[in-house]
Amino acid sequence: MATDFKSIPVIDVSPLLAKSDDANMAKDAGVCEVVKQLDIACREAGFFYVKGHGIPDSFLKEVREVTRKFFDLPLEEKLEIKLSAATGYRGYQEVGDNITKGVPDVHEAIDLYRELKHGMYGDMGKPMIGPNLWPSKPQNFKAVMEHYTDLCTELSRKIIQGISLALGGSVNELEGRIAGDPFWVMRLIGYPVISRENGHSELGNDIGCGAHTDYGLLTLVNQDDSITALRVRNHSGEWIWAPPISGTFVCNIGDMLKILTNGMYESTLHQVINKSPKYRVCVAYFYEPNYDATIEPLDICVQKTGGSKNLDKLSMRNI
């Protein structure tokens, strides 16, 4: 359960990454310290900064700049890759297209998913079949984003190893049938300069993205260095800002990890309000379970929380 945290912890995961392929990693003192910090952060806030992740800051900036260059294009060019059901829900959404709890969000975005081919997962896979839609400009967009998703997938896998140890399980507790073949999602988001403070309110709303929890396992957020816009709600309902820390990701856990842990770990409400006079770019990578995974509390977590399952079963097919 989230607490009345006043700030978001910073965790250096480099010891975890250094031992990720070591069969005895759970006995390493450095790994144990990271695991302890992950456990505290997931219990108390559901959010933490990740540093020491090994992805160069220069590449994090390149990903944001490539994203910004796309959003700088004329609307008619961006609409060439417009999102629809026919595209497997991949592609571009203009400002106001995305809805959170009935209210249009003041942002534009591109949605990318792990690609599914015909026949994968039977009827359950049909809505998501298809390739990602890649814009022709910037020319390096596809190459940069494909490399970035590979790096984020590997980093997420290693963080999940640490969380598995934090739960008292084996290092591979969440692999295999749960997340051994993750269905990743990536959302590239642009937040225009719209707020009551600076005189703009095109949609009668200054919320870049409404309050929500993420539905998957964990999220890695790569946000602009100079703009504070993400905030997280603590147990008392107070909104805590998550200012950017150069070279880090903001990481938060999702609803499915909350279910797997039988409520030991919290998926925390968060929202985005861009009060800055600058356009803000954010690239959110979502590490999800296997597409056909059924999510229910792990036995080790049920034992630690009184012996009964507190949360209903949830499957990716219900999302």
Side-chain angles (χ1 to χ4, degrees):
M1 186 67 180
T3 63
D4 288 334
F5 59 91
K6 300 299 182 182
S7 62
I8 296 170
V10 180
I11 302 177
D12 182 349
V13 298
S14 57
L16 178 67
L17 271 56
K19 296 291 184 178
S20 63
D21 295 321
D22 186 336
N24 295 314
M25 65 180 293
K27 299 178 182 178
D28 181 83
V31 170
C32 289
E33 179 58 31
V34 175
V35 166
K36 177 183 176 180
Q37 292 179 36
L38 286 172
D39 186 51
I40 293 170
C42 291
R43 288 175 185 270
E44 295 187 353
F47 269 76
F48 51 94
Y49 292 93
V50 176
K51 74 173 186 176
H53 47 70
I55 301 175
D57 188 33
S58 59
F59 188 58
L60 297 182
K61 291 178 179 177
E62 182 180 4
V63 169
R64 298 196 303 269
E65 282 308 304
V66 169
T67 301
R68 194 184 315 276
K69 287 178 181 178
F70 173 82
F71 289 137
D72 282 343
L73 294 173
L75 179 60
E76 58 268 23
E77 292 188 44
K78 292 184 282 191
L79 288 173
E80 291 175 1
I81 59 164
K82 183 176 175 60
L83 180 151
S84 71
T87 66
Y89 301 96
R90 296 166 169 84
Y92 172 73
Q93 286 185 310
E94 56 187 303
V95 174
D97 279 357
N98 196 72
I99 307 293
T100 300
K101 297 182 180 178
V103 179
D105 289 322
V106 186
H107 71 246
E108 57 185 328
I110 300 177
D111 283 351
L112 304 170
Y113 293 84
R114 180 182 168 185
E115 296 181 354
L116 298 187
K117 297 179 180 179
H118 287 278
M120 294 179 70
Y121 307 111
D123 289 343
M124 185 175 64
K126 286 182 179 179
M128 302 304 299
I129 287 174
N132 285 309
L133 302 184
W134 302 106
S136 58
K137 300 176 186 176
Q139 291 185 343
N140 62 339
F141 186 97
K142 180 180 179 181
V144 168
M145 297 306 166
E146 287 186 330
H147 182 46
Y148 185 67
T149 56
D150 288 344
L151 293 175
C152 287
T153 300
E154 185 62 16
L155 173 59
S156 299
R157 184 184 70 83
K158 292 174 180 179
I159 294 173
I160 284 292
Q161 287 182 331
I163 289 174
S164 295
L165 293 175
L167 293 171
S170 71
V171 69
N172 296 316
E173 192 73 33
L174 292 169
E175 300 260 347
R177 63 179 180 83
I178 297 173
D181 189 25
F183 180 71
W184 60 261
V185 181
M186 190 157 74
R187 187 166 175 83
L188 291 68
I189 313 169
Y191 297 93
V193 181
I194 299 177
S195 74
R196 288 187 289 269
E197 284 75 5
N198 57 32
H200 299 287
S201 188
E202 293 181 2
L203 297 174
N205 171 32
D206 66 356
I207 306 296
C209 186
H212 66 284
T213 59
D214 295 343
Y215 65 76
L217 290 179
L218 59 82
T219 306
L220 296 175
V221 178
N222 174 8
Q223 58 177 340
D224 268 340
D225 282 340
S226 60
I227 301 172
T228 299
L230 173 63
R231 61 183 194 170
V232 184
R233 198 175 78 173
N234 68 17
H235 183 62
S236 293
E238 180 183 3
W239 288 101
I240 307 300
W241 291 102
I245 299 176
S246 183
T248 70
F249 290 98
V250 176
C251 183
N252 62 282
I253 66 175
D255 298 337
M256 292 196 184
L257 190 54
K258 178 179 179 177
I259 291 170
L260 286 163
T261 65
N262 209 29
M264 289 170 56
Y265 290 173
E266 186 64 58
S267 54
T268 310
L269 274 174
H270 52 284
Q271 64 178 190
V272 176
I273 303 177
N274 183 19
K275 296 183 178 181
S276 164
K278 299 178 182 179
Y279 187 96
R280 176 181 183 265
V281 165
C282 166
V283 179
Y285 170 90
F286 302 90
Y287 188 78
E288 315 294 19
N290 303 348
Y291 191 85
D292 57 353
T294 295
I295 304 302
E296 60 182 320
L298 298 169
D299 289 342
I300 55 172
C301 296
V302 172
Q303 293 169 11
K304 289 184 174 184
T305 52
S308 62
K309 295 181 179 180
N310 300 326
L311 299 164
D312 293 335
K313 291 184 181 181
L314 180 64
S315 168
M316 282 293 285
R317 72 194 73 186
N318 300 129
I319 296 299

